[in-house]
Every structure is written in C-alpha cells, then in structure tokens.
Amino acid sequence: IFTEQQERSSLRLKMVCRLLPLTGLLLISSVTCFTPPLTPNTEMTALSVATETPQTDMSEILYNPTERDAHYGTASSSEINMAQYMMDLHDEKATFNFCGGMMFQLVLSKKLRSHLQTISAGDANQPKLFDKSHAGMSRIPDYEKSASADNINVFHGREVRKVKDAAGGMGFAMHLSMVDEQSPDPESWTMPELIDYDGWGHDAGRNWRTADDLAREGNVEYGNVFGKEAYGLHHRCFWHLDGQNRVWLSAEDGCEGYAAPSKPKWNALMDKFKF
C-alpha cells in the first residue's frame, strides 16, 4: 500500500515525463515512463535522463563551401589543408556529382592515404587545388600530354564501374593512387596502363579493363577493393574550384564532378530513422 508521500512522488515523476521535450532520439510519454510499484522502503531521489553529445555534421563540412573553408582553410587563397580534406572525403565515403547526376564515391589507395596523413600535419607538398581559371587540365602550369603524375598537381586515377557497395547507390567510384617509383603502390597503374595511356582523347576509343585484366597485369588489389565484377578506365586527375567555390575532381579528358551529397538531407534523415 502506497503512503501519501510515495503517491505524490509517483505523480511528480509521471508529470516530468509528460513535460520532457519530444525529439528524434528521445520520445517519452506517460506510457513509456511507466513507474513500477514502489515499496515502503523505496525513496525517489532524482530523475536522470541520458543525453548524447552533439557530433560534427561532416556532410556540411565536406560539401558546403563556407563550412569547408572554416574547417580546412580558405580554398581560394590556397590556405586549405587539401591533404586532410582528401582523407576526410575518403573516410566519410563522400560522393562527387559527375555529368549531372552520376554519383561517384571517392576512394584513395592505402598508400596514398598514408602519404596524405603524413603531409597533412604541415608538409609543403600539399596537393594543389587550382582556382576557377584552371577548369581543364590543359590549363594548369607545365601541362603536357603524358602518363606522368606527381601526387601534388596531378594524380593517377581510375573511373570504376560496377563497384560493390559504392556510396551514391550507382556502383561508381573514382580511385586515386600514389605514384612512387622507389616503392610502388600496389593499387596504382600497371605497366601496360602507363604505356597505353592516352587520357586526353575520347574514352570510347580507349582500353577499358576488368578486374581480371588488371590482375593479369599485376594489380590484384583492384578486385579485392572494388569486387570481381568491377571494370573501368584510368585517368590522370586534378583538383580545381569553380565560380561557386565548389571543389571539382577533374579527369584529363574533361569528365569531372563536384563534391556533393548523394541524397537530399531530408531523404537521408528519413533513411536514418526508417520513416
């Protein structure tokens, strides 16, 4: 049998539960706040509600030019920590909007990511983010038609199709790897790729390779990373801004995409809470 004091304590608890704000993470009502029967020896001392520490919204930082500049440094003045930005794009499985809606996930090779980790602390060899006047590889300084790359101005890249579990939901990825003659990147271009590269031409006349093709040429990691059904084309790539201060990843043949979320925020929220 409740004492009068215990009845009052139980009623107070139910009233607090009804007044707690409703959020997407905590939904409390008089039903969910059911109070078990109190024994004569029970004392109600406090009501503790668990809360979560707000986390950084990486989508805003990666895709919103204003938030990006505030986090990594001003892109237009070359203060941006491009190495850190590239790593975060990779780690967050960020996507790029190519050709008006083809969403490609950015993927870095393990060796390139390790290299970027080292130089992100302030090394002078930061990857170059060209301004909007360099919207095309042929416009960057010292451009020449070749297969060379330096991990600063130009990167060895791949357009990959039929990628298993690619962010963006279309099976596409853009893969960047490390050029290192002393200690070659196992995910980088094969010798036949270096020899037959003509990425300044139209991709219709170029040699597309499957995972099996690349394995025969010495790159077995391609199939391990992207799946045995994956295939694609190698490109030289570089980074540049546009008139809206967006970051673009551009291939030598002119195919390019800007950093953009693969779904509108509302759709992503719906997916998160399974509405």
Side-chain angles (χ1 to χ4, degrees), residues 61 93 99 131 147 162 186 191 200 224 240-241 246 270:
I61 292 173
K93 297 183 178 181
C99 304
D131 64 31
K162 286 193 176 181
M191 185 57 67
W200 46 87
N224 295 334
H240 73 84
L241 294 169
R246 297 178 300 186
M270 297 280 280

Side-chain angles (χ1 to χ4, degrees), residues 161-176:
R161 308 288 185 104
K162 286 193 176 181
V163 179
K164 59 179 182 180
D165 304 322
M170 297 184 177
F172 301 146
M174 286 299 294
H175 181 237
L176 301 182

Side-chain angles (χ1 to χ4, degrees), residues 1-3 5-14 17 29-44 46-47:
I1 301 174
F2 285 0
T3 66
Q5 180 180 5
Q6 290 167 343
E7 285 282 2
R8 287 199 299 270
S9 296
S10 178
L11 287 172
R12 282 199 298 272
L13 175 59
K14 289 179 179 178
C17 290
S29 68
S30 59
V31 176
T32 58
C33 285
F34 169 74
T35 307
L38 298 174
T39 66
N41 295 327
T42 301
E43 288 189 16
M44 186 63 63
L47 176 64

Side-chain angles (χ1 to χ4, degrees), residues 209-219 222-223 227-230:
R209 287 172 165 84
T210 66
D212 287 340
D213 292 333
L214 289 166
R216 284 191 291 270
E217 294 177 2
N219 184 343
Y222 185 92
K228 302 302 182 184
E229 299 300 315

